[in-house]
Amino acid sequence: MSLSKENKYPEIRFKGFTEAWEQRKLDELVLRKKSYPLSRSIETPNSTGYKYIHYGDIHTRVADIININSKLPNINSGNYELLNEGDLVLADASEDYQGIAMPSLLAFTPEYKLVAGLHTIVLRPKKEKVDPMFLYYLIKSPIFRKYGYRIGTGMKVFGISITNVLKFESLFPNLKEQQKISSFLNSLDSALALHQQKVDKLEKLKKAYLQDIFPKKEEMPMISFSNNQGTWKIRKFKDFIKKTGKNNKEGKDYYAYSVSNKLGLVKQSEQFEGSRLDDLSKTDYKIVLPGEFVYNPARINVGSIAYNDSETIIIVSSLYVVLKMNELLNNGYILSIIATSDFINEVKRNTEGSVREYLFFNSFRNIKFPYLNSTSDQKKIGLFFQDLNKIITLTRKKVDKLKKIKKAYLQKMFV
């Protein structure tokens, strides 16, 4: 937590800086510039020499720290007041309080003409008083976020006026220290972006492998893991699975889990504040043995299916479906198959229900999948994707760690 403003310096500070930070109002440090109510209708696929920043693109980070690599929408040409390098463009509307006045920064001089569009506020920093990138990070910090939460208005859509933005007060260091802080945070952002790019590339690589390794028809795939090239056929799960998941009749105190479409099996104590099923008798749960699959019949269409790869018996909601593959299927191989778009399409084709669609066990049995009759080759495929998933998970953890580090610095480098 940052120290109080009475101390006039932040909790974390670079060596060599000792001056007290000074209280400033934002309207002393910036000039207000013009934005226009330009909606998506003005966009064009043609290059016109004009681009714009729409508030929606700020929220999706299409417009964040804008540089030569940023892909902003083209718009029809017009008589507009243009943005300059160093200008900040804030979204004055958001679907949640966290997004109020989320900033973007024009960090270079573009060859095209750039305009601020719908629901935006333009601030032009007085560069002799405030570093534009320091201001960008200050507006992203908890100091300003709390101010936006307190001052924002609205019920379904939350907003903030330019008048209230300019009333914001905070402590500012001298220009040199501002630049040191903004340079450090920008370097952290660059490292974060680099690792996120690695994750994105690995995900694309995995998607390509899934397409090339599993055939859509009874034919040889583009990539084979065996010189023997075992026979591929399109089969249904009904020939290979059985329903399991007995009720925990004795009420044994196993850990309760939920199925997440992103994380697989997750302890309910970690997913929720307390367990949703704390008040239920343990006899209302289903048992999932090691080596069994479990899925949420109402959410398997978005990938909520998981495998108990632990050596521990767990329990899940009685609404879940638990099943086991027979000895003709390698579990790692099946885990790879359920990550394909073809599997999800098959799920959607077999669901039933009008308001909410469900995939019950009898319908799961009819799902088609590419069957390879060599269990040793199945194992090779499963291990290949297991290793690839480990690399992706490790890289994701690096991204998450950098995000936590950045969040901590944003809390402790501003007052």
Side-chain angles (χ1 to χ4, degrees):
M1 182 181 292
S2 299
L3 300 178
S4 69
K5 292 189 176 182
E6 292 177 1
N7 293 294
K8 296 195 173 182
Y9 57 85
E11 186 174 340
I12 295 177
R13 199 172 190 188
F14 290 104
K15 289 182 179 180
F17 296 100
T18 57
E19 293 179 28
W21 289 26
E22 295 182 3
Q23 187 84 7
R24 294 286 186 86
K25 234 181 189 180
L26 194 55
D27 66 358
E28 302 171 24
L29 305 173
V30 300
L31 299 172
R32 179 185 178 182
K33 291 297 175 179
K34 192 170 180 58
S35 64
Y36 299 86
L38 304 175
S39 65
R40 296 294 189 190
S41 62
I42 200 171
E43 293 181 16
T44 174
N46 304 317
S47 178
T48 61
Y50 283 79
K51 295 177 182 288
Y52 84 141
I53 298 174
H54 186 277
Y55 81 107
D57 291 332
I58 297 175
H59 289 305
T60 58
R61 301 193 66 184
V62 170
D64 189 13
I65 295 180
I66 301 164
N67 55 37
I68 195 169
N69 297 315
S70 299
K71 307 294 183 185
L72 299 175
N74 297 311
I75 61 169
N76 298 321
S77 58
N79 184 24
Y80 302 114
E81 185 176 321
L82 304 177
L83 298 173
N84 293 341
E85 181 179 356
D87 286 352
L88 277 82
V89 181
L90 282 56
D92 73 7
S94 172
E95 292 182 357
D96 56 58
Y97 272 108
Q98 288 77 19
I100 290 176
M102 193 58 69
S104 62
L105 170 67
L106 182 54
F108 80 123
T109 301
E111 295 181 356
Y112 50 83
K113 296 177 175 64
L114 186 59
V115 182
L118 185 66
H119 285 306
T120 60
I121 293 169
V122 181
L123 305 178
R124 181 161 295 167
K126 298 175 183 178
K127 294 182 181 179
E128 71 280 5
K129 294 183 178 181
V130 64
D131 176 61
M133 192 163 287
F134 176 86
L135 187 56
Y136 163 85
Y137 283 113
L138 173 60
I139 292 173
K140 280 206 160 187
S141 76
I143 300 292
F144 187 92
R145 295 293 100 204
K146 290 175 183 177
Y147 174 79
Y149 181 85
R150 180 169 56 85
I151 211 74
T153 59
M155 296 291 287
K156 293 183 179 179
V157 177
F158 307 102
I160 191 169
S161 67
I162 178 64
T163 302
N164 283 329
V165 168
L166 294 176
K167 286 180 181 178
F168 171 70
E169 292 184 54
S170 188
L171 292 173
F172 288 79
N174 63 42
L175 194 58
K176 190 174 181 180
E177 189 172 0
Q178 289 180 33
Q179 291 166 346
K180 185 77 173 176
I181 293 169
S182 64
S183 177
F184 170 76
L185 291 172
N186 188 234
S187 297
L188 197 56
D189 264 340
S190 297
L192 186 55
L194 182 63
H195 281 86
Q196 185 60 56
Q197 287 171 10
K198 288 180 182 178
V199 171
D200 295 341
K201 287 180 180 178
L202 285 167
E203 290 285 8
K204 287 181 181 178
L205 183 64
K206 178 183 175 181
K207 185 177 180 180
Y209 276 129
L210 287 170
Q211 291 176 339
D212 291 344
I213 288 173
F214 296 111
K216 295 181 182 295
K217 299 177 181 178
E218 294 184 358
E219 57 189 24
M220 292 307 299
M222 294 180 66
I223 298 176
S224 175
F225 279 75
S226 171
N227 293 326
N228 297 327
Q229 295 186 339
T231 304
W232 288 86
K233 291 186 177 180
I234 303 300
R235 300 285 296 271
K236 290 185 177 182
F237 274 112
K238 66 181 181 180
D239 299 322
F240 304 94
I241 63 174
K242 66 176 181 179
K243 190 175 184 180
T244 55
K246 294 180 180 179
N247 290 333
N248 185 26
K249 291 181 179 179
E250 297 179 12
K252 290 188 176 180
D253 194 23
Y254 299 122
Y255 284 117
Y257 279 73
S258 293
V259 178
S260 163
N261 62 326
K262 293 182 179 179
L263 302 173
L265 285 169
V266 182
K267 278 186 181 179
Q268 289 207 340
S269 58
E270 296 174 3
Q271 191 174 19
F272 309 107
E273 290 185 7
S275 172
R276 281 184 175 179
L277 305 179
D278 276 347
D279 296 332
L280 295 179
S281 166
K282 292 289 186 181
T283 57
D284 293 325
Y285 292 59
K286 282 183 179 178
I287 291 174
V288 183
L289 299 175
E292 293 184 336
F293 287 80
V294 56
Y295 71 87
N296 182 340
R299 289 186 57 79
I300 189 175
N301 59 334
V302 292
S304 290
I305 180 170
Y307 172 66
N308 184 8
D309 60 357
S310 71
E311 297 179 357
T312 306
I313 297 173
I314 64 172
I315 50 178
V316 295
S317 165
S318 60
L319 299 175
Y320 285 2
V321 174
V322 186
L323 56 89
K324 185 176 179 62
M325 308 291 164
N326 68 19
E327 69 280 357
L328 296 177
L329 292 180
N330 174 268
N331 290 321
Y333 174 78
I334 295 302
L335 276 173
S336 304
I337 284 177
I338 65 178
T340 64
S341 57
D342 288 339
F343 175 81
I344 295 298
N345 289 336
E346 272 292 298
V347 166
K348 291 176 180 178
R349 196 173 65 83
N350 284 278
T351 53
E352 41 188 293
S354 53
V355 178
R356 169 166 275 193
E357 295 183 341
Y358 293 86
L359 184 81
F360 298 110
F361 178 74
N362 285 337
S363 298
F364 189 100
R365 295 174 74 249
N366 291 320
I367 289 177
K368 297 176 183 178
F369 72 100
Y371 169 67
L372 178 60
N373 66 356
S374 168
T375 53
S376 62
D377 288 350
Q378 288 183 28
K379 185 176 180 180
K380 289 177 186 178
I381 292 172
L383 289 174
F384 172 78
F385 282 108
Q386 183 183 71
D387 290 341
L388 184 55
N389 285 335
K390 285 180 180 178
I391 296 171
I392 293 172
T393 300
L394 183 62
T395 312
R396 273 209 195 103
K397 285 182 179 179
K398 290 179 181 178
V399 171
D400 293 339
K401 184 177 180 180
L402 283 169
K403 285 181 178 178
K404 288 179 181 178
I405 291 171
K406 178 185 173 184
K407 182 179 179 180
Y409 278 122
L410 285 173
Q411 288 175 334
K412 297 179 180 182
M413 297 189 82
F414 298 93
V415 184

